[in-house]
Amino acid sequence: MKPQPVLSLVGVTLSLLGFSPTPLANAAQPRLAAIVSPRDASGMEILAAREVRRYVYLRTGCLLPMIVEPQGTLPKGDLIVIARKDREVVRKSAGVDLLGSLEKLAPQSYLLKTVRARADARPPKDQTLLVTGGDDAGTLYAAYRLAEVLGVRF
């Protein structure tokens, strides 16, 4: 067998498996989620948001943008909402079915929940991760629990 057909067969096989020589500039860049905190966030809520950003960066190498809750609707795209249960940004993100669970959160307890903006979207679009607590301490506990889920050990 001649070496030319064997090399071309190897090249075709590698490209079908996803090993094509695509330059990094042309490769699809992953869509980063944004961390959203309330407009009038407490010191512990700000710390929780910064800690989530820090540990996501340490585990993935991606530095997520942090934004303050905008007036009106939340921005499009994937979001990580970090706030107490009584904040408006949490109520906007949670939807009707989670409001009961949020009301039941006791002080120093937390809830980590992923919510889809549109339940019928395939693949899921615009997901929101709620990192919320019954009070400020619960919100910080939720941030550290999320870090543990990401593989950080304390």
Side-chain angles (χ1 to χ4, degrees), residues 21-22 30 38 41 55 60 66 95 97 117 130 139-140 142 145:
T22 305
Y55 289 119
T60 66
M66 291 181 65
D97 29 323
L130 290 176
T139 304
L140 190 57
R145 178 62 184 136

Side-chain angles (χ1 to χ4, degrees), residues 36 67 69-76 79 81 89-90 92-93 128:
V36 181
I67 59 174
E69 173 191 9
Q71 295 285 346
T73 61
L74 292 172
K76 300 257 187 227
L79 302 174
V81 175
V89 66
V90 172
K92 283 186 216 175
S93 303
T128 300

Side-chain angles (χ1 to χ4, degrees), residues 14-126:
L14 288 176
S15 67
L16 288 175
L17 291 174
F19 296 108
S20 62
T22 305
L24 287 178
N26 293 338
Q29 297 297 321
R31 189 174 76 175
L32 295 179
I35 297 174
V36 181
S37 59
R39 269 180 255 118
D40 54 346
S42 68
M44 289 181 83
E45 286 173 312
I46 293 169
L47 176 61
R50 287 180 180 169
E51 290 292 271
V52 167
R53 184 182 196 207
R54 172 182 171 209
Y55 289 119
V56 167
Y57 175 73
L58 288 174
R59 295 297 297 155
T60 66
C62 295
L63 190 61
L64 300 181
M66 291 181 65
I67 59 174
V68 176
E69 173 191 9
Q71 295 285 346
T73 61
L74 292 172
K76 300 257 187 227
D78 295 331
L79 302 174
I80 302 174
V81 175
I82 303 173
R84 284 191 324 248
K85 69 176 183 177
D86 59 343
R87 301 290 189 173
E88 185 63 28
V89 66
V90 172
R91 295 185 184 283
K92 283 186 216 175
S93 303
V96 178
D97 29 323
L98 271 183
L99 289 178
S101 298
L102 288 172
E103 291 300 322
K104 292 178 186 174
L105 280 179
Q108 297 190 8
S109 61
Y110 61 86
L111 175 71
L112 297 176
K113 184 72 175 172
T114 303
V115 181
R116 277 196 252 168
R118 288 184 39 223
D120 61 340
R122 297 280 181 237
K125 302 256 185 210
D126 296 344

